[in-house]
Amino acid sequence: MNKIGFYILFLLLIDCFKISLGQNIPKGEIDIENFIEDIFGMQREEMDYEDLYEGLLQTLLNPINLNKTNPEELKSIFILNPNQINHFFEYKKKFGELLSIYELQAIPEFDLETIYRLLPFVILEERNKTNASLWNRIGNAKDGYFIFRHRRVWETRRGFTPPDTLSNGNLTSRYLGDPNSLYGRFRIQQSKDFSLGFTIDKDPGEQFIWDLSTKRYGFNFLSYHFTLYNRGNWKAITIGDFQMQFGQGLVFGAGFSAGKGAETITTVRRSSFGIRPYTAALEFGFFRGTAGTYQAGPIQITVMASHAPRDANLQVLSDTLENETAIITSLQSSGLHRTTTEIRYKNRAREKNLGGNLHYQSKNKNFQMGINGLYTQFSQPFLRNPRIYNQFEFSGQNNHIQSIYFSYNIQNYYFFGESARSASGGMGSIMGMMSSLHPKLSFSLLWRDYSRNFHTFYGNAFGEGTRPINERGMYMGLNFKPNIRYNLSFYYDRFHFPWLRFRVYSPSYGEEWFGRFTYRPKRNTVIFMQVRNESKSRNVSDYNGFQSTYRLDQGIKNNFIFNLDHKLDRIWSLKSRVSASTFKFDGKITKGFAISQDLNADFERWRISSRISLFDTDDFDNRQFLYERNVLWLFSIPALHGQGMRYYLLTQYRLNRKLTFWLRYAQTIYTDRDIIGSGLQQIRGNTITETNFQLRYQFNR
């Protein structure tokens, strides 16, 4: 059957498909809560969710053109397995370009659930394609918005109270600013054409002040960028703040990466998407300068230069000749400047970066390889305060790191890897494979080895630790989906730390396994049960009445979750969850649990989300993570521990096509304490209340 004949036959099925698809979220929107559940499965406190969210936003604002895409792009959104990607390109090769988004249903292995998850990330043709001048395109761009957000905790923290007088007559430290958090973001962009914008931010306790001596200019943090795409052979040119992603993240590891979670196959690898504007409010982990990517046949050449301020603690050392030298003892990543001490850290150091990438892609797009290089120089030497576990960490003023990477797709098998070497001689390597062993069974395998003296400042590769250093491990993932109703995902990860770590004063090992069973009895009902077991070593601090920092024991934690999502009708939906955990360490077993109930409603202009949770945990090791809905592009994953209740109410109102408002009220009530927190964050009482107000104005709507 030719393409036209096939399409005429296919049109007869479109109406039925539209009916089934139309009951879900409209194209261009995403249920972020369900997406997070599918990708992560088990929230981790150490994960940088804000940067992850920004990476997801970048993909949503720059959707993939299905008629011009390649396997690398489709892998980057963690939705399609190798078998589905192969079927997609075989279909295009046989029938040509897609004429309708509904044509996806005709591709083998593309069920409604897969298509539903894919729709927000893809288009069939370039948006707003025009020959107008750049300034006219900027003025008429439809993807432009301004967001303003206010957040506040209403109970008084100790840092906002009058200072005490010490015995020496000095006053105790207090926050200099007010408890309000202010955030603004302006962005105007056109997919695959241009992007420009800025982000401003003031954290609670920071002053809103113009002070040149302390480098504070109203808002505490300002990020900005201007990026052009597809200017002849120049694929991207950017000025301002940006990040880069090439290979498997050993050198350049920005953007959307999930690691271990409920999606056990596609998240083990990284995609080489190149330069990405930086739009988050995190005050570290980005470059500030310029970068560009040039296409020369099958080779892309990327160069970058950055000169960015860094918050640092400086100390002055004197030698025998009374010469003074300033050194960096630590870099601050909190981005907080509330007290005189924190303000003193602000922009004390400078960091220069020069780097580049060569990326080759074969004509059939099945093979890619590349080379990364990055040179970093600090304004002062970096000498950490010596600790028993950090003697192999970076020290000095300069670092350089180089890597080579590859990826190869053959039928239903996808191989990838990267190997890097830093100036210290430390090596980092990662090798992996994804495969569709059967249309219903997928498999992934990943090995990594990061030396104890491997130093990468912008790497973000797969691993158990938060950084790729001092770790070896092997990961295996499986996914079995016999039909649309049932899905079983599983992974096992074995890891080893050859050198000492923080709170682990001996070489150690660990293992982790995870399983989730998902059942969809109806299209509007999803049930899943999951279990996660993790075993890791750490110091035993209390032994026979004295401190023994060198005695280790395995901490074994088990997590259990039962979750039910049910859509009652077009307006109302429910979500019920029970989570529990146990933690065994040094001969003691502690427990914890949380129960939550959600009620959500969608009245077109009005959207309402609510939840009430009860929790009871024996200690901090059994804290329960519950992802909560929040205002647009803001994460909320509280770690609940102790005893108490938490609830929130989130409302969204779309006044018109341009203006949308959000208001969120959340409160946690503890029944086991009269003081919350410690230090300057301490609250006297058993209640903590937070509000979030946000408005978004969209241009040219």
Side-chain angles (χ1 to χ4, degrees):
M1 184 180 297
N2 60 27
K3 174 75 172 184
I4 296 177
F6 171 83
Y7 193 63
I8 292 174
L9 177 62
F10 186 76
L11 284 174
L12 298 177
L13 304 174
I14 280 186
D15 285 339
C16 295
F17 180 59
K18 282 183 178 179
I19 293 174
S20 63
L21 193 64
Q23 313 236 352
N24 293 319
I25 293 177
K27 183 183 183 325
E29 299 185 14
I30 182 173
D31 187 333
I32 187 65
E33 183 177 14
N34 288 336
F35 189 84
I36 294 298
E37 289 281 10
D38 291 340
I39 294 295
F40 299 112
M42 185 65 66
Q43 281 73 54
R44 299 167 182 263
E45 190 175 42
E46 65 270 15
M47 288 194 67
D48 193 348
Y49 288 100
E50 183 175 348
D51 194 40
L52 166 71
Y53 216 150
E54 290 296 324
L56 180 61
L57 172 61
Q58 297 285 349
T59 307
L60 287 169
L61 292 177
N62 295 277
I64 295 170
N65 186 334
L66 288 176
N67 286 325
K68 295 183 180 180
T69 190
N70 55 59
E72 182 75 4
E73 269 195 324
L74 289 181
K75 292 185 180 78
S76 70
I77 53 178
F78 306 132
I79 294 175
L80 302 178
N81 61 41
N83 193 40
Q84 291 170 321
I85 292 175
N86 282 338
H87 280 304
F88 174 82
F89 286 102
E90 288 174 1
Y91 179 89
K92 283 187 62 180
K93 184 177 180 180
K94 184 176 182 179
F95 297 107
E97 292 189 348
L98 276 66
L99 302 179
S100 167
I101 200 73
Y102 300 113
E103 204 172 337
L104 290 171
Q105 194 182 24
I107 302 175
E109 307 304 325
F110 275 64
D111 53 39
L112 287 179
E113 179 192 355
T114 299
I115 298 171
Y116 160 76
R117 297 177 63 198
L118 189 65
L119 284 179
F121 298 97
V122 298
I123 56 175
L124 288 184
E125 59 184 17
E126 301 293 349
R127 293 179 177 175
N128 307 321
K129 192 172 182 180
T130 176
N131 293 323
S133 68
L134 173 63
W135 297 115
N136 285 335
R137 297 200 305 276
I138 291 175
N140 296 320
K142 293 185 178 180
D143 290 333
Y145 62 87
F146 175 75
I147 284 178
F148 173 78
R149 180 189 306 150
H150 173 273
R151 300 170 64 189
R152 178 163 178 168
V153 170
W154 290 95
E155 287 77 13
T156 301
R157 297 189 186 274
R158 184 183 178 190
F160 298 107
T161 62
D164 301 320
T165 302
L166 300 175
S167 58
N168 59 7
N170 293 332
L171 297 178
T172 55
S173 177
R174 289 293 187 266
Y175 298 149
L176 301 179
D178 59 60
N180 298 301
S181 172
L182 303 176
Y183 170 91
R185 171 190 283 174
F186 167 82
R187 188 171 187 185
I188 186 165
Q189 67 103 42
Q190 193 161 291
S191 179
K192 313 301 183 183
D193 187 4
F194 67 86
S195 174
L196 65 91
F198 62 83
T199 301
I200 49 180
D201 178 67
K202 184 196 88 71
D203 294 310
E206 295 178 339
Q207 290 177 295
F208 193 88
I209 187 174
W210 190 276
D211 186 357
L212 300 180
S213 63
T214 57
K215 302 179 178 63
R216 292 179 293 167
Y217 314 105
F219 285 90
N220 177 74
F221 176 69
L222 168 65
S223 176
Y224 52 89
H225 76 275
F226 178 44
T227 305
L228 297 174
Y229 300 98
N230 301 313
R231 293 297 184 269
N233 288 339
W234 288 96
K235 309 309 293 181
I237 303 172
T238 191
I239 298 174
D241 298 341
F242 61 94
Q243 294 179 313
M244 293 170 62
Q245 167 63 48
F246 291 103
Q248 297 307 306
L250 290 180
V251 179
F252 298 113
F256 179 32
S257 63
K260 292 184 283 188
E263 173 48 64
T264 58
I265 307 299
T266 62
T267 56
V268 300
R269 65 170 303 278
R270 305 294 301 271
S271 296
S272 296
F273 58 74
I275 301 170
R276 188 194 81 172
Y278 182 74
T279 57
L282 297 175
E283 301 183 27
F284 65 96
F286 62 91
F287 300 110
R288 175 165 291 177
T290 184
T293 298
Y294 185 83
Q295 184 80 47
I299 297 177
Q300 284 188 354
I301 305 169
T302 300
V303 293
M304 59 79 64
S306 169
H307 190 201
R310 294 294 302 269
D311 289 358
N313 183 11
L314 298 186
Q315 290 186 7
V316 178
L317 301 181
S318 299
D319 59 20
T320 56
L321 299 178
E322 297 186 356
N323 295 319
E324 295 185 343
T325 302
I327 64 168
I328 301 172
T329 59
S330 63
L331 293 174
Q332 309 298 316
S333 60
S334 69
L336 298 173
H337 307 98
R338 304 163 298 182
T339 65
T340 53
T341 299
E342 291 176 346
I343 293 172
R344 190 166 60 247
Y345 294 151
K346 184 175 176 61
N347 296 353
R348 292 292 302 279
R350 305 290 297 186
E351 179 185 296
K352 296 179 181 179
N353 284 279
L354 295 173
N357 167 267
L358 291 176
H359 182 86
Y360 167 80
Q361 180 173 265
S362 63
K363 188 175 181 180
N364 61 9
K365 301 180 181 180
N366 287 334
F367 175 73
Q368 299 180 79
M369 71 173 298
I371 300 173
N372 291 314
L374 180 64
Y375 173 79
T376 302
Q377 181 183 75
F378 293 100
S379 54
Q380 296 90 8
F382 194 155
L383 297 175
R384 302 174 189 270
N385 293 321
R387 297 288 187 272
I388 189 171
Y389 58 85
N390 70 3
Q391 58 184 285
F392 293 100
E393 291 279 0
F394 171 80
S395 64
Q397 195 165 357
N398 307 292
N399 184 53
H400 57 81
I401 181 171
Q402 306 82 31
S403 77
I404 182 170
Y405 63 88
F406 81 97
S407 64
Y408 180 58
N409 193 90
I410 178 171
Q411 296 181 353
N412 293 335
Y413 294 87
Y414 182 77
F415 301 90
F416 56 91
E418 183 176 11
S419 185
R421 185 180 189 274
S422 61
S424 62
M427 298 291 296
S429 299
I430 186 168
M431 295 283 290
M433 178 197 70
M434 297 190 305
S435 173
S436 294
L437 304 176
H438 183 274
K440 302 182 186 301
L441 180 65
S442 298
F443 173 74
S444 63
L445 187 68
L446 184 138
W447 166 86
R448 74 269 191 189
D449 186 352
Y450 312 134
S451 302
R452 62 187 181 182
N453 61 335
F454 177 61
H455 304 142
T456 175
F457 301 136
Y458 293 90
N460 184 20
F462 185 99
E464 174 64 21
T466 56
R467 297 180 298 140
I469 185 173
N470 185 35
E471 179 178 335
R472 298 171 186 164
M474 180 71 75
Y475 170 97
M476 180 190 71
L478 289 170
N479 184 269
F480 178 59
K481 189 173 184 178
N483 54 52
I484 194 173
R485 291 195 174 189
Y486 301 97
N487 187 78
L488 176 64
S489 57
F490 173 85
Y491 73 73
Y492 175 78
D493 189 34
R494 174 83 177 185
F495 42 87
H496 173 61
F497 305 108
W499 184 245
L500 284 60
R501 305 167 65 231
F502 178 64
R503 295 180 65 189
V504 188
Y505 286 175
S506 176
S508 60
Y509 72 93
E511 61 183 2
E512 178 182 351
W513 62 267
F514 171 96
R516 173 190 277 195
F517 174 72
T518 304
Y519 174 51
R520 301 175 183 270
K522 299 178 182 179
R523 188 190 53 203
N524 59 353
T525 303
V526 179
I527 301 171
F528 71 76
M529 295 170 287
Q530 72 180 38
V531 58
R532 172 175 169 259
N533 173 277
E534 182 184 50
S535 173
K536 293 174 69 174
S537 301
R538 76 182 191 191
N539 296 341
V540 177
S541 59
D542 187 9
Y543 178 61
N544 291 336
F546 66 90
Q547 297 294 311
S548 176
T549 57
Y550 295 94
R551 178 175 175 262
L552 267 61
D553 191 25
Q554 291 294 115
I556 301 175
K557 186 171 184 178
N558 292 285
N559 292 91
F560 312 92
I561 291 179
F562 174 83
N563 190 91
L564 168 65
D565 280 288
H566 179 64
K567 191 171 180 60
L568 299 174
D569 51 36
R570 296 183 61 182
I571 296 177
W572 297 95
S573 64
L574 298 170
K575 179 175 181 177
S576 305
R577 168 173 289 207
V578 178
S579 63
S581 65
T582 64
F583 184 72
K584 181 180 179 181
F585 183 71
D586 195 26
K588 301 177 182 178
I589 298 179
T590 55
K591 301 177 182 180
F593 76 90
I595 302 173
S596 65
Q597 178 62 58
D598 294 21
L599 177 62
N600 307 310
D602 188 346
F603 299 101
E604 295 184 356
R605 289 199 172 197
W606 282 94
R607 288 183 180 178
I608 301 173
S609 302
S610 63
R611 170 182 293 173
I612 184 169
S613 306
L614 302 175
F615 58 93
D616 186 351
T617 70
D618 293 337
D619 53 22
F620 187 72
D621 289 309
N622 284 283
R623 60 196 181 278
Q624 305 293 306
F625 295 97
L626 295 179
Y627 176 85
E628 298 179 348
R629 295 188 180 187
N630 211 321
V631 300
L632 184 68
W633 307 123
L634 183 65
F635 258 93
S636 178
I637 307 180
L640 304 177
H641 64 95
Q643 297 177 346
M645 175 182 72
R646 178 175 172 83
Y647 63 91
Y648 74 84
L649 177 66
L650 170 66
T651 61
Q652 174 185 340
Y653 176 63
R654 181 168 56 85
L655 180 65
N656 51 45
R657 296 179 63 186
K658 293 188 175 185
L659 194 57
T660 306
F661 297 92
W662 289 263
L663 180 62
R664 185 177 189 266
Y665 180 90
Q667 187 174 71
T668 305
I669 304 172
Y670 293 93
T671 58
D672 64 339
R673 69 193 70 175
D674 295 320
I675 294 178
I676 302 172
S678 60
L680 297 184
Q681 289 290 90
Q682 184 183 96
I683 294 173
R684 291 191 173 275
N686 69 333
T687 302
I688 182 168
T689 307
E690 181 185 35
T691 59
N692 292 288
F693 169 76
Q694 178 170 291
L695 64 85
R696 178 184 63 177
Y697 182 82
Q698 295 176 278
F699 305 105
N700 299 325
R701 284 277 176 167

